Structure formats: C-alpha cells, structure tokens
C-alpha cells in the first residue's frame, strides 16, 4: 500500500525524519490512551459521585452510558470527517472537546452537569479516536515500520482499558472522584500543544463533502444500538426499553446501507467490504473484543466481590495482565514478519481462549498466582497478539482516501463488540448467580461467563482461519 501522505521531513536527513514520525506516534498513542481510559476509569468512583451529587441509581448508570453511546454513535462520522477536513484538525478538535468536557465534569455541581459533560467527552472521543490511527497510517509507510507503530497504538489503547480500574481507584482513594476526570486536563493540554507544533496536516485531495443523510442514519443507528445494549443491565434483553432501540437501530443501519449503495459520495463506500482484509478483520475485532473487553470487568468484580480486594488492590492484582497485553502487542510485528498477520491473529485468539478456559475453573479460594495472575496473562497476551495484526490488516486493506473512515470502523468494531460482549456475558453470569449473591454463586456465574468467552474466542479463531488473508504476504495485503 502506498503511503497516504509523504511527511515533509522525509526529504531531510534521517536524524530529523525519525523524531517527527515518532512524535506523531506518541501524540496519537496519548490520545488513544485517554479515550480508552475514560471508558472504565469512572467505575470505581461511581459511589462517591452518587453521594456528592445526590444522584439516583439510574442516573449514576448514565455516567457510563452517556459516554459510551456518544462514543460509539459518532465514530464513523468522526473517521470520515478526518478524511474530508484533515486528520490533524480533527485530532485537535476531538482532543480539545474531550479535555474541556473533562474539566466541566470534574467541577460539576449537579448530576445533569456531569452527564452532559460525559456525553460531550464521548463526542470528543469519537472524533479523536479515528484520527489517532489515521495519523499513524498517514505518517508511517506500509510495512514493518507501520506494523510496529500500530502495535504501539494497540498496546497503549489496551493498557488504557486495563489501567482504568487502578487509576480510578488510586485517584478516588487519595484525592476525590473529581480527579478521575480532572487528570485528563493537564495531559490533554500538553498533548494539544505538542500536536499543534509537531503534527502535519493530511487529508484527501480534492473537494469532498460529508454525506449528510448517511451521517444521520449511521450515527442514529449506532447510537440506538448502543443504547439498547447498555439498557440490558437494567432491563434485560426482553424488555421493550431494550428491544425497541436495539431493533430500531438495526433498522436504521439497514436503511443506511441502502442509502449508501445509491448515493454518489457515500459516507461508507460499500466497496470497502469487498476487501477481504477490511471485512474479515473488522468482524474478528468485534468478536474478539466481545470477550476480551468483558474480561476486565469480571476479573475486577471477582477480585472485589469474592476475594475481598479493595478497588486499589484489585487494580494492582491486574497489573501482570496489563503488562502482558503490551508485551503481546509489541511482539506481534516480529511474528507477523515470520508467520503472516492472519496466522498471528489466529494464534493470539487461541492463546486468549486458553487463558479464558483456565480462568473458568476459578473457585472462591486458591492462590493469587493460579486464580488471577497467570490466567490473566494468557488472556491478555493473546488479545494483544490478535488485535495488532487485525488492525494492521483492516487499515492496509483500504485506499488512502478512506483511511479515516476505516480507522473509525476499526474503533467502532472494537467498541460495539466490547459493549455487546459485556451485556451478553453479564446476562450469562446473572443466569447462574440468581438471587443468591454468596461468594460461591458469584464465582459460578463468573466462571460460566469465562467458559462462554472461551467458546467465542475459539469461534473467532475458526472464523479468521477460514476468512482472513494469511501467509507472509498478508501483512501488506
């Protein structure tokens, strides 16, 4: 694949070219870390938020939902906007919105102010997240260098999700719940300043407009599906409050596909899905993410509800898992060069499935090493090995003018997969736990969720084995 943008520094000496490229990677990774961190960092702070702002239990749930729905709903639009209006411009806009909303949420005096700030945070994240990956694919030529850069991006994003519980627990215990939001402000300001200086603008050549009908349908459809998914925690799958938005969102997405097949300048050119790499990799990202995202939730509640850990102790207990996902992501490019991206993704899914299977044998006792640490290392090392080649395949299978859109699609697949997987696996666990919240019944429910996740990962491995382009050439497919 031809590089989308030739960095001006390429005409200079290697000494000046390298820092510019890695400045792009560092800025993109910092933005991605913040976006993913804020999906989970507020979890442990929710009780403090409820007490301080006198929020209801339903209102408290929307501290999470307002962010995730806006994030999932606007991501495709954010990705296409990066192609049309410029990747640097959208990165700065998204990070600016995210940082300002973090400040507003951190100083909120009423519940509605916090919820509004979280929704704007999600909107900023939806603009920012696709731009982070597109900046990397635009600045780094296709090949081993890009694979390493995407591996770093994947590792940092996974580390953000893994660190949420620990960071939130420490900040809430030592300072207050407000700092789980306020901590984004100084980081955001520093990254904004650095990005404004170091990043170079890149966009699709020629005048292009956003497909407004497609944007409305895609955003409305994804947001409605996300809303239906998050409602399952309160209402269950059969409740009209869950089914109506979920099915309505799917209907909007079906209309979106019909509109895109007929418009001259579609938001989502359907020809993208003719690429085996794009369609197969995004499907695999969604399926694998449905298990691996839920892992953090179930491991955290198992450590606290069954093993009696404090929030901070639970976060510390998962540090080996957090490190292993970074190691797996960074090891992937070297293995991709030898085995091919598709084969490495299959290998990663099988390793993760082994860890899930081991974790499903958990009990109320046992040592930390065998009941939390080692299964967690296998689960997350496998996830890191799988996600890096999948992101590489998905982005390398698209034309340069669609890079932002495909980056948005990758992030949407991962986000929607995670939300759907958590909702389904939570329902599976609840079916075994029942009304008895004893440590034994909780453990049985969590174990069933991990067994279900094992089956999902094995299915993902089979799907990738049959569908993904494999072989040594697949890394540049």
């Amino acid at each position: 694949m031809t590089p989308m943008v030739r960095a001006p520094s390429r005409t200079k000496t290697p000494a000046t070219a390298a820092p510019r490229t890695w400045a792009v990677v560092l800025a993109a990774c910092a933005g991605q870390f913040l976006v993913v961190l804020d999906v989970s960092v507020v979890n442990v702070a929710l009780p403090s938020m409820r007490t301080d702002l006198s929020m209801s239990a339903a209102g408290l749930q929307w501290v999470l939902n307002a962010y995730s729905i806006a994030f999932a709903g606007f991501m495709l639009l954010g990705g296409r906007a990066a192609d049309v209006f410029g990747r640097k411009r959208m990165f700065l806009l998204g990070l600016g919105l995210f940082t300002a909303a973090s400040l507003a949420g951190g100083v909120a005096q009423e519940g509605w102010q916090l919820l509004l700030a979280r929704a704007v945070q999600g909107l900023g994240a939806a603009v920012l997240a696709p731009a982070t990956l597109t900046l990397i694919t635009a600045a780094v030529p296709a090949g081993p260098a890009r694979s390493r850069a995407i591996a770093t991006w994947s590792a940092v994003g996974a580390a953000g999700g893994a660190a949420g519980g620990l960071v939130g627990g420490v900040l809430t215990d030592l300072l207050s719940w407000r700092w789980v939001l306020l901590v984004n402000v100084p980081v955001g300001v520093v990254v904004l300043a650095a990005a404004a200086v170091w990043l170079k603008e890149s966009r699709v050549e020629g005048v292009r407009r956003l497909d407004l009908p497609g944007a409305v349908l895609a955003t409305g459809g994804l947001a409605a599906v996300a809303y239906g998914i998050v409602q399952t925690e309160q209402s269950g799958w059969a409740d009209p409050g869950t089914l109506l938005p979920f099915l309505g969102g799917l209907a909007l997405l079906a209309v979106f596909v019909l509109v895109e097949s007929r418009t001259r300048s579609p938001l989502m050119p359907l020809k993208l899905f003719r690429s085996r790499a794009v369609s197969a990799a995004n499907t695999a990202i969604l399926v694998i993410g449905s298990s691996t995202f839920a892992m953090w939730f179930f491991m955290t509640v198992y450590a606290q509800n069954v093993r009696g850990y404090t929030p901070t102790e639970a976060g510390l207990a998962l540090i080996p898992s957090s490190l292993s996902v970074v190691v797996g992501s960074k090891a992937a490019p070297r293995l991709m060069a030898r085995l091919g991206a598709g084969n490495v993704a299959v290998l990663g899914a099988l390793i993760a499935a082994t860890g899930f299977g081991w974790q499903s044998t958990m009990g109320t006792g046992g040592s930390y090493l065998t009941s939390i640490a080692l299964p967690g290392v296998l689960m997350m090392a496998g996830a890191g090995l799988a996600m890096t080649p999948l992101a590489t395949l998905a982005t390398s299978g698209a034309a340069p003018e669609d890079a932002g859109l495909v980056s948005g699609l990758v992030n949407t697949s991962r986000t929607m997969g995670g939300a759907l997987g958590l909702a389904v696996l939570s329902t599976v666990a609840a079916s075994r736990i029942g009304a008895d919240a004893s440590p034994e019944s909780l453990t049985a429910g969590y174990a069933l969720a991990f067994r279900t996740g094992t089956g999902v990962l094995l299915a993902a491995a089979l799907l990738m084995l049959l569908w993904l382009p494999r072989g040594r050439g697949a890394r540049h497919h």
Side-chain angles (χ1 to χ4, degrees):
M1 179 177 163
T2 304
M4 282 177 280
V5 176
R6 179 169 301 212
S9 56
R10 299 272 172 84
T11 60
K12 299 180 182 180
T13 64
T16 58
R20 178 61 54 86
T21 298
W22 283 103
V24 172
V25 174
L26 288 173
C29 286
Q32 181 70 1
F33 181 84
L34 288 176
V35 164
V36 179
L37 178 74
D38 267 63
V39 174
S40 59
V41 72
V42 300
N43 286 348
V44 297
L46 291 176
S48 300
M49 292 177 177
R50 182 177 185 179
T51 300
D52 198 16
L53 299 180
S54 301
M55 299 180 71
S56 66
L60 200 65
Q61 185 64 31
W62 278 96
V63 175
L64 304 176
N65 295 348
Y67 182 88
S68 59
I69 291 172
F71 186 27
F74 285 90
M75 202 139 26
L76 281 183
L77 180 58
R80 178 51 93 196
D83 290 331
V84 176
F85 301 117
R87 285 77 186 251
K88 176 181 177 179
R89 181 177 296 174
M90 289 299 103
F91 179 90
L92 295 176
L93 174 62
L95 184 56
L97 268 178
F98 184 88
T99 304
S102 298
L103 176 61
V107 299
Q109 301 300 309
E110 300 287 344
W112 68 266
Q113 295 171 353
L114 177 60
L115 298 183
L116 178 60
R118 286 288 286 171
V120 177
Q121 256 194 323
L123 175 60
V127 175
L128 174 60
T132 62
L133 184 53
T134 312
L135 283 170
I136 290 175
T137 58
V140 185
R146 182 183 291 177
S147 295
R148 289 193 297 271
I150 290 177
T152 302
W153 177 87
S154 297
V156 169
L166 176 60
V167 172
V170 170
L171 290 174
T172 302
D173 287 344
L174 296 182
L175 297 170
S176 79
W177 67 265
R178 296 183 180 278
W179 280 96
V180 301
L181 298 172
L182 293 176
V183 70
N184 297 324
V185 177
V187 177
V189 169
V190 170
V191 176
L192 274 170
V197 173
W198 282 103
L199 296 185
K200 295 295 182 182
E201 187 61 275
S202 64
R203 73 187 74 188
V204 177
E205 293 183 2
V207 178
R208 298 188 61 169
R209 295 183 300 173
L210 281 178
D211 167 25
L212 188 58
V216 171
L217 288 168
T219 300
L222 288 169
V225 169
Y227 176 83
I229 290 171
V230 299
Q231 281 294 98
T232 60
E233 186 169 341
Q234 295 178 4
S235 307
W237 285 95
D239 189 270
T242 297
L243 282 178
L244 288 178
F246 185 78
L247 296 178
L250 291 179
L252 285 176
L253 292 177
V255 176
F256 166 71
V257 171
L258 181 63
V259 169
E260 297 304 279
S261 67
R262 299 184 178 185
T263 188
R264 294 182 58 184
S265 299
L267 174 72
M268 170 69 76
L270 299 183
K271 65 180 181 180
L272 280 176
F273 296 100
R274 296 174 192 163
S275 167
R276 188 176 171 187
V278 172
S279 55
N282 276 285
T283 302
I285 288 170
L286 187 147
V287 175
I288 292 174
S290 69
S291 288
T292 55
F293 180 83
M295 172 268 184
W296 298 113
F297 171 78
F298 284 109
M299 291 294 279
T300 301
V301 294
Y302 170 65
Q304 294 184 63
N305 295 342
V306 176
R307 305 301 293 267
Y309 292 11
T310 67
T312 300
E313 289 171 342
L316 291 171
L318 295 179
I319 283 181
S321 304
S322 306
L323 294 176
S324 69
V325 74
V326 175
V327 172
S329 298
K330 296 299 289 180
R334 188 169 298 176
L335 291 173
M336 288 161 60
R338 296 181 180 181
L339 304 176
N343 291 326
V344 174
V346 171
L347 175 64
L350 292 175
I351 292 173
T354 302
F356 268 73
W358 185 354
Q359 190 63 54
S360 72
T361 66
M362 70 177 86
T364 56
S367 70
Y368 160 74
L369 189 65
T370 58
S371 61
I372 292 179
L374 292 180
V377 165
L378 282 178
M379 286 187 276
M380 288 298 101
L385 277 177
M387 286 301 189
T388 295
L390 289 174
T392 302
L393 283 169
T395 53
S396 65
E401 63 268 20
D402 294 321
L405 177 61
V406 171
S407 299
L409 187 59
V410 167
N411 279 285
T412 300
S413 298
R414 184 163 58 179
T415 302
M416 295 300 286
L420 182 60
L422 182 57
V424 171
L425 293 179
S426 295
T427 302
V428 167
S431 70
R432 177 62 60 88
I433 294 170
D436 180 14
S438 67
E440 290 77 15
S441 63
L442 289 172
T443 301
Y446 302 155
L448 181 58
F450 278 106
R451 280 196 295 276
T452 305
T454 303
V456 171
L457 288 167
L458 291 174
L462 179 61
L463 178 148
M464 292 187 291
L465 196 62
L466 297 174
W467 194 5
L468 279 180
R470 296 193 311 281
R472 294 191 178 193
R475 66 184 183 273
H476 303 309
H477 188 82

